[in-house]
Amino acid sequence: MKNTLSFYSRQICRILLGLSILLCCSCNYLDVAPPEKPTVSNGFDTEAKGLGFLLSCYSGLDAVYASQNAQPELGFSKAPSWMTDYNCQATDETIPYFGWQTTTLQMLQGNVTPSMKWTSDWTIPYTMLKQCYLFEEELAKVTASWLTPDLRNRWLGEIAFLKGFWHLYLLQYYGPIPIMESLYDANASGSDLPGRSHFDYCVDRIAQWLDEAAAVLPAKIDNTEWRRATSTICKALKARLFLYAASPIYNGSFPYPNWRNTNYETPGYGKELVSRTYDPQKWDRALAACKEALGFALNEGGCSLFGYNAASRTQDFTDIDRLMNAEGLTLDKLKIDDRTDENFLKSVMLMRYLLTTIPSDGNREFLWQMGDYMQGREVLIMPYNIIKDSNGSMQGGWVGSGATLYSIEHFYTKDGKLPEYDPEFTPKTEYFQSADLSNKNIIKLNHNREPRFYATFSFDGDQYSPIIVDGEPLTLQTRVSSLHGYAPNRGLALGGYYIKKWIQPDIRYKKADGKASFKRHFAITLRLAELYLNLAECYAALGHDAEAMDALNPIRSRAGVPELTAQMVAESGMSITEWVRSERFIELWGEMHRYYDLRRWLIAPQRMDATSFQGLNAQVPDPTFEEFNQRITLTNLGGKWHTRMYLLPIAEHEVYSNPNLEQAPGY
């Protein structure tokens, strides 16, 4: 018999009210009892309990963004970070270790089916939407004096935000989705449940929720409320929403032109699911939203690019100097590309501190931060054998991921140009020759690059970190198997390049006990740089090249590369759109954007084939310099793209249980 609860995850929700949080226990079963609803008397008899109920509506965020804070007792045990979640790793940015990331490898190999474990990406949002409607329903009954009109409005604004957010989360993965407008009766038949709504209808409805929330929420909050919604976050997400809606995949170029609903009809759209014609007004709408979001964030939201002086359009190293001094980190401890230029060295440190600091460190770039899931999880990407402790044991990381050669070749040179388009950079035929620096292991490809390159990647002969070995530097020896090179049955940067991004530059391993001084920093969901890049993309799409460059240049200036000029664009042979996409690739590398960008731009077939996954010849024990430094294709990684992979499939049992629900095309 078909399960009538499947669409909204077929999970038991046993609501347990405490002083600080309402916990909803979720499980996947074919037949379950309806949820037990909290009553006003035990859910809202104090403001603290009411706030706990509200915060329970945020709890799913721990499962989809955090890891330390994931709550398996709620049924939320996915607990990804960017380093372990398939939707970040299954791109052309990174090479996952073959022994790990089974879901990632299946995606890279094109083995995406409805029977795979996509359940949490579908059920967690709908479970949390159910919780939101339950909260809203019960809040309407509260008459207690502590619930002032302002407090009620703020709480309802947060619920409206979460409705918009969770639908947007689903939209990014699945395209057109069912819109949940109310708390459905647990005994409703499958035919009474909605099917997918037209993509444009979904976009408009999500925007309505975000607008509703932005009208009543504060523009900024203090650090004690760091995860709660603000009007700044609402406007930023609306800008992202409209940008995605204007992108090629949903603006006239959807790869399955005949895909439509069989039964369900969207008001005003019938059974259609995706628009078939290009609409330039979608870019106009996205541009307006991006301008509003950026302006609001810079003003009412109190945000600013970390390490950037907007008035002078130059870098600001005030916080960098303070942070380095606090850890005894002086410039003479840094060895980066044999460079002694103070601004260059500080630029590298600025970009390293960018994602490893919090507001109390002076970092006001983040609009929305999920939690301290990175505390101690840096070991997932750090190299093995960092230090020998007092017991003689080697301590270090797990090396679960490395960078592709594509990533290495698509960060800028010191002049702010892509290597293949920079006439001053070393010729491609000489990339893998020694750069003849003080460390002869450093190759020409890794020499004379921009600060973000050295803040993001590490390689043979590079100083991985200046004081990590109990106050001393660690220089990578990726050709030595007993240190940081290939060894069977352990993690490995398979392409020869390690990741530095997210590794705090002042981390130390102590010889006494082998422990590291990991610090708390946040999982980043929104930061100001994305708003600049979103705005630049809209301008480029509308043919406003000068305005697009103006939006890009704060990002470039902060990173320590020359501002983009019309002459540079003309001489490069790249369009302004290609410049925007290159800047986005570099600035947001590894921050869970590339997965979506490859799809919305319809470039995944070119970027996700077998030849996209290349690296150095690092899977050889103790290779010579010449053996190691050569380009190879990682054929055992896979690299196979199918058109159906533009959208994730819905689990088979969900489609079976709801006759109105269409499977994604091609599955």
Side-chain angles (χ1 to χ4, degrees), residues 18-292:
L19 289 176
S20 62
I21 190 165
L22 175 95
L23 301 180
C24 102
C25 185
S26 306
C27 304
N28 264 334
Y29 294 107
L30 292 177
D31 295 291
V32 296
E36 299 174 11
K37 294 185 180 181
T39 64
V40 174
S41 60
N42 65 14
F44 287 98
D45 54 359
T46 67
E47 182 178 347
K49 286 186 178 181
L51 178 61
F53 195 163
L54 173 69
L55 295 180
S56 76
C57 299
Y58 285 89
S59 62
L61 297 172
D62 291 329
V64 297
Y65 285 113
S67 61
Q68 297 280 26
N69 294 332
Q71 300 168 355
E73 70 272 19
L74 306 187
F76 299 151
S77 58
K78 181 183 176 187
S81 69
W82 80 269
M83 294 171 288
T84 58
D85 197 15
Y86 64 84
N87 69 328
C88 181
Q89 289 254 8
T91 74
D92 54 356
E93 294 174 313
T94 59
I95 302 172
Y97 173 53
F98 296 152
W100 300 5
Q101 319 290 353
T102 55
T103 304
T104 300
L105 288 173
Q106 285 178 315
M107 291 194 73
L108 292 176
Q109 293 164 0
N111 300 322
V112 181
T113 69
S115 61
M116 291 177 66
K117 295 182 178 179
W118 310 119
T119 307
S120 59
D121 291 312
W122 181 263
T123 59
I124 288 174
Y126 282 118
T127 298
M128 297 318 302
L129 285 166
K130 182 162 56 178
Q131 185 78 342
C132 288
Y133 282 110
L134 181 59
F135 176 87
E136 197 173 55
E137 189 177 277
E138 296 300 325
L139 182 66
K141 304 173 185 177
V142 179
T143 59
S145 59
W146 58 261
L147 186 61
T148 65
D150 286 346
L151 184 58
R152 183 189 295 271
N153 286 338
R154 183 182 178 187
W155 285 4
L156 288 175
E158 290 183 75
I159 293 299
F161 162 77
L162 287 168
K163 291 177 190 176
F165 168 77
W166 284 119
H167 281 95
L168 174 56
Y169 180 88
L170 288 160
L171 197 76
Q172 291 178 127
Y173 276 128
Y174 297 96
I177 53 168
I179 296 294
M180 187 174 182
E181 292 282 4
S182 63
L183 187 62
Y184 281 76
D185 190 322
N187 295 314
S189 66
S191 59
D192 292 331
L193 298 174
R196 295 181 189 258
S197 287
H198 191 283
F199 185 86
D200 293 348
Y201 180 92
C202 295
V203 169
D204 290 343
R205 189 67 185 97
I206 294 169
Q208 289 173 2
W209 276 313
L210 294 175
D211 284 342
E212 178 185 337
V216 296
L217 292 178
K220 53 187 175 182
I221 52 180
D222 63 36
N223 291 339
T224 63
E225 298 181 316
W226 51 266
R227 191 165 55 167
R228 295 176 65 182
T230 66
S231 53
T232 304
I233 298 171
C234 292
K235 292 178 184 294
L237 285 180
K238 180 181 172 182
R240 181 191 289 179
L241 168 71
F242 283 172
L243 175 73
Y244 280 27
S247 299
I249 190 172
Y250 296 118
N251 197 2
S253 299
F254 190 74
Y256 287 91
N258 296 320
W259 185 48
R260 52 179 49 82
N261 278 326
T262 302
N263 300 316
Y264 188 76
E265 295 191 13
T266 309
Y269 294 91
K271 294 180 180 179
E272 293 295 322
L273 286 171
V274 179
S275 297
R276 314 293 174 184
T277 57
Y278 173 74
D279 183 358
Q281 292 185 353
K282 289 184 177 180
W283 282 112
D284 292 328
R285 180 179 64 170
L287 175 63
C290 289
K291 289 172 68 175
E292 180 183 6

Side-chain angles (χ1 to χ4, degrees), residues 575-593:
S575 69
I576 189 63
T577 294
E578 290 173 316
W579 276 100
V580 170
R581 292 182 179 182
S582 291
E583 198 69 52
R584 186 179 182 92
F585 179 80
I586 295 167
E587 179 68 22
L588 300 180
W589 189 91
E591 294 183 37
M592 300 179 75
H593 290 273

Side-chain angles (χ1 to χ4, degrees), residues 66-69 226 370-376 520-523:
S67 61
Q68 297 280 26
N69 294 332
W226 51 266
M370 288 296 98
D372 56 337
Y373 86 132
M374 287 295 293
Q375 188 170 7
R520 181 185 187 217
H521 48 282
F522 293 123

